[in-house]
Amino acid sequence: MPSLISPAERDYILKGIECNIRADGRQRPDYREVILETGVISQTSGSARVRLAGGTDVLVSVKADIGPVLVDPETGEGADKGQIICNVECAPSASQQFEGRGADELNNELTQMMTRFLSHNTTSLTSASSTTAPSSTTSHNSNGAGGINLSKLCIIPGEQCWILYVDALVLDYGGNLVDAVFMGTRAAIFDTRIPKTEVQDLGDGNFDFEVLDDAEDTEIVEGREDMPICVTLNKIGARHIVDASPLEELCTEAKLVVAVNRSGELCGLQKGQDGGIEPSLLLEMIQFGKTLGQTLIKQLDAKIKAEADADMVKRQNGQPVVKLGFFAQ
Amino acid sequence: MSRAELLSPEGLRIDGRRPAELRKITSTTCVLSQADGSAYLEHGNTKVLAAVYGPREARHRALVLHDRAILNVELNVAPFSTGERRRRSKNDKRLLEMASFVKQTFEPVVIATLYPRSQIDIYLQVIQHDGGTLQACINATTMALIDAGIAMTDYVCACTAGWVEREAAIDLNYMEESSDTSEVTIAMLPKSSKITLTQMESRLHVDKLEEVFRLAGEGCKQMYEVMDKTIRDRAEDLARKMAV
């Protein structure tokens, strides 16, 4: 990731964006090509790899583990719900700045963003902060937990539940990490299969459960279609673009992350960087992000479905399903 | 895991291999856009990604050497790499130890005197762990260094070997490693057959040592064939593209 940009380059990008021509030939609302592959890591409940043409490479894995329920001491909620625990890590191989502890701040920011947008926390506060720190709001999603039905993940109310560990690994940096991470998470959750459990009543209020080990008979994550994805809008000059390349990100004055689900509901909003956005432009950007987000979800779902169908056909024909992973060029 | 299952009466291991057989190795270089050199290597189910940045300006002025480059190795293991999800901190002693092994292995091989006052960074990412992580890391690093165009005296090929039941075997997978077998990791320079790294945990009877080492040496030679082919194919591919 280049940490410096010359005034000439900055001017070039700025003027280009005004004329609706970006450095790589795209127009302002154009996304780069997304290459998606699910089921790339064995030993996980679900996984996906997202690549944006231009370098960004994110690997997301979902592991379903059994653990105790988390009860909120203040509200008493959570006894009948499962959990989603997110974690984002930027590998030092992704960019020169991520060596050692260099990526810590970015990791933390992305992890918190993911946690907020996906595992909806009812006790979240809106924070007013200085212009240099990101300010955020979360809107109440009617289904809770970023769309995913957490009650379905509970095994024994008050005791055991499924915990979905979502781990995102950024392998290569080419701009627009947030969108790639959320796209990968959506694909990975679509790919996730949770084993079925059988609960036995031992009487006296005691329950025991057994995990059925059938690889064919598994459950999908309910509510996964309502998961939000993010669209990052970068304000450069008086215009805004999506899917910024690393150089464009360096020219950004203000960054707006809009999380939207397929029904067009706003699931989260976060503004970053140290520039300001006029209120009218802000509303316009949110609207734009919302519409673009819905289109993206449709395209993403179509891609995932096409891949799943192709795999099904291969399996029925007895052909081995080979995941390309890094060998796809 | 009972010992009887590691080696069947016909001489086949758990995954159906012969004792002197390596797992399926696939590799490719130049997979990352930001790194100067990168390589991805698969030893069966063990998957490792290596990225090389350098030679570039040293981060810490105090460590700069006036006549040679300094080598810096960082090893990261993904939380989803093993069967059980486990997040390891950056200062995990085991990871730091393995990183320092890789550094010691490559310090005599990289011609560092060609790049004075600079730093060569090697970042390793273990994506999936199924035994033989150190050998995969060393092999991936070799290919990434070559991809970055950093001068080296020779390839460094690594291979694990151990004594499984009644025979010496190479390229142990996770099952074999975690049971009671002894395991040796050897890194070798194929042209001169010199060994730059030997690392062993657990006990091995000294009578069996020669057999295990000999087999590991052969394993390294096989690794060299595979790695060399990948590099040459890529070089030919690039030359063809440039010639047009």
Side-chain angles (χ1 to χ4, degrees):
Chain A
M1 172 163 112
S3 53
L4 300 170
I5 186 170
S6 68
E9 268 181 316
R10 190 185 286 269
D11 191 55
Y12 179 74
I13 291 175
L14 198 75
K15 296 262 165 62
I17 286 173
E18 301 246 332
C19 307
N20 206 11
I21 303 173
R22 290 160 71 169
D24 51 7
R26 286 184 282 159
Q27 302 203 321
R28 287 195 292 261
D30 286 346
Y31 250 87
R32 285 172 288 190
E33 194 195 330
V34 176
I35 304 167
L36 181 73
E37 207 179 1
T38 56
V40 285
I41 314 171
S42 51
Q43 293 178 324
T44 57
S45 311
S47 60
R49 183 162 168 243
V50 171
R51 268 186 302 161
L52 296 176
T56 301
D57 197 335
V58 179
L59 194 55
V60 184
S61 96
V62 178
K63 262 192 148 95
D65 267 343
I66 298 181
V69 291
L70 187 69
V71 182
D72 191 334
E74 288 171 28
T75 58
E77 266 185 48
D80 59 345
K81 294 204 170 99
Q83 297 168 55
I84 302 180
I85 297 179
C86 306
N87 179 46
V88 181
E89 202 182 310
C90 295
S93 57
S95 155
Q96 295 197 21
Q97 329 237 151
F98 294 165
E99 165 190 45
R101 305 222 81 101
D104 278 0
E105 206 180 296
L106 187 59
N107 287 349
N108 199 32
E109 190 188 327
L110 290 172
T111 304
Q112 294 296 5
M113 207 189 284
M114 250 181 107
T115 313
R116 258 208 318 277
F117 294 171
L118 290 182
S119 52
H120 173 71
N121 185 358
T122 48
T123 58
S124 65
L125 306 163
T126 52
S127 52
S129 48
S130 64
T131 46
T132 47
S135 55
S136 59
T137 58
T138 49
S139 69
H140 191 74
N141 189 340
S142 52
N143 227 345
I148 296 175
N149 191 344
L150 286 181
S151 318
K152 197 91 193 322
L153 293 176
C154 185
I155 307 174
I156 302 174
E159 285 177 33
Q160 302 282 325
C161 66
W162 283 111
I163 306 178
L164 292 180
Y165 289 103
V166 180
D167 293 302
L169 182 61
V170 176
L171 294 166
D172 200 3
Y173 174 78
N176 202 15
L177 286 183
V178 179
D179 297 10
V181 165
F182 273 86
M183 275 196 253
T185 309
R186 190 184 169 86
I189 297 263
F190 260 76
D191 186 51
T192 304
R193 300 287 180 269
I194 304 179
K196 289 206 167 124
T197 52
E198 215 176 76
V199 183
Q200 293 145 357
D201 192 349
L202 300 173
D204 289 344
N206 283 336
F207 292 89
D208 193 18
F209 69 94
E210 199 190 311
V211 178
L212 302 171
D213 215 1
D214 196 348
E216 299 294 311
D217 196 20
T218 50
E219 289 176 352
I220 58 166
V221 178
E222 207 178 282
R224 60 190 187 172
E225 307 84 21
D226 291 319
M227 256 188 66
I229 63 157
C230 283
V231 175
T232 307
L233 297 131
N234 301 67
K235 176 172 177 269
I236 298 178
R239 317 283 187 169
H240 51 91
I241 55 166
V242 288
D243 194 14
S245 67
L247 283 176
E248 288 167 343
E249 282 192 350
L250 285 170
C251 297
T252 308
E253 291 159 20
K255 196 170 84 163
L256 189 69
V257 176
V258 178
V260 63
N261 66 10
R262 66 171 179 171
S263 336
E265 285 175 321
L266 212 57
C267 301
L269 203 62
Q270 176 155 326
K271 182 212 157 281
Q273 313 276 71
D274 47 7
I277 310 177
E278 305 84 33
S280 54
L281 183 60
L282 184 70
L283 287 172
E284 190 191 313
M285 281 167 84
I286 296 175
Q287 267 302 109
F288 181 69
K290 200 183 75 133
T291 333
L292 194 58
Q294 286 180 283
T295 320
L296 264 180
I297 290 180
K298 284 207 188 82
Q299 289 174 355
L300 204 64
D301 286 353
K303 271 198 182 73
I304 298 173
K305 187 165 181 309
E307 197 198 351
D309 288 345
D311 284 350
M312 184 85 75
V313 165
K314 277 202 193 138
R315 279 205 195 95
Q316 283 171 352
N317 290 344
Q319 288 168 359
V321 177
V322 174
K323 292 294 168 182
L324 287 170
F326 272 94
F327 299 103
Q329 289 294 346
Chain B
M1 192 81 205
S2 69
R3 289 189 70 110
E5 291 175 49
L6 286 177
L7 195 66
S8 77
E10 299 91 43
L12 292 176
R13 292 150 72 175
I14 306 178
D15 44 11
R17 285 186 284 152
R18 293 254 149 226
E21 205 182 313
L22 290 173
R23 287 178 284 187
K24 178 166 175 237
I25 301 165
T26 36
S27 59
T28 182
T29 53
C30 205
V31 286
L32 300 176
S33 69
Q34 297 288 321
D36 292 324
S38 53
Y40 174 74
L41 189 71
E42 276 188 21
H43 265 273
N45 273 333
T46 300
K47 298 178 184 162
V48 173
L49 178 67
V52 169
Y53 284 85
R56 60 178 177 179
E57 198 179 325
R59 299 243 145 186
H60 307 285
R61 289 289 168 81
L63 299 170
V64 163
L65 294 171
H66 70 279
D67 61 343
R68 55 196 307 132
I70 46 175
L71 227 58
N72 175 40
V73 180
E74 221 180 280
L75 179 63
N76 267 334
V77 177
F80 45 76
S81 57
T82 48
E84 247 183 60
R85 183 208 181 244
R86 238 181 75 191
R87 248 186 93 188
R88 290 172 216 228
S89 77
K90 292 227 157 136
N91 291 330
D92 187 68
K93 300 250 168 52
R94 198 95 170 89
L95 296 184
L96 290 178
E97 191 197 19
M98 279 208 334
S100 86
F101 280 148
V102 175
K103 184 171 163 193
Q104 284 165 26
T105 311
F106 282 94
E107 261 169 354
V109 180
V110 171
I111 308 177
T113 45
L114 285 176
Y115 317 106
R117 316 189 75 86
S118 64
Q119 181 176 326
I120 299 173
D121 291 310
I122 302 169
Y123 301 125
L124 293 155
Q125 181 74 42
V126 177
I127 297 175
Q128 223 173 288
H129 172 55
D130 187 25
T133 321
L134 185 56
Q135 62 163 349
C137 287
I138 293 175
N139 292 331
T141 308
T142 305
M143 296 186 47
L145 283 169
I146 294 175
D147 189 47
I150 292 176
M152 298 202 292
T153 52
D154 199 354
Y155 281 64
V156 182
C157 309
C159 191
T160 50
W163 194 268
V164 175
E165 296 271 317
R166 31 179 203 285
E167 283 196 54
I170 55 173
D171 202 3
L172 309 179
N173 62 21
Y174 188 71
M175 291 280 195
E176 290 163 344
E177 262 182 17
S178 46
S179 67
D180 220 358
T181 52
S182 53
E183 190 201 349
V184 164
T185 305
I186 289 182
M188 197 169 87
L189 307 182
K191 285 200 202 114
S192 49
S193 297
K194 287 201 179 135
I195 294 181
T196 64
L197 173 84
T198 308
Q199 191 241 348
M200 182 170 92
E201 295 170 2
S202 73
R203 302 183 309 233
L204 178 66
H205 198 285
V206 72
D207 290 345
K208 302 176 184 160
L209 195 66
E210 199 184 319
E211 171 69 13
V212 167
F213 264 66
R214 187 191 61 81
L215 209 55
E218 278 178 27
C220 289
K221 293 253 163 63
Q222 284 181 47
M223 271 310 308
Y224 170 64
E225 303 291 324
V226 175
M227 281 170 22
D228 195 41
K229 182 166 188 314
T230 309
I231 300 277
R232 279 181 200 274
D233 284 347
R234 168 118 186 112
E236 274 172 25
D237 195 39
L238 281 174
R240 209 176 25 242
K241 284 183 184 154
M242 277 167 56
V244 175

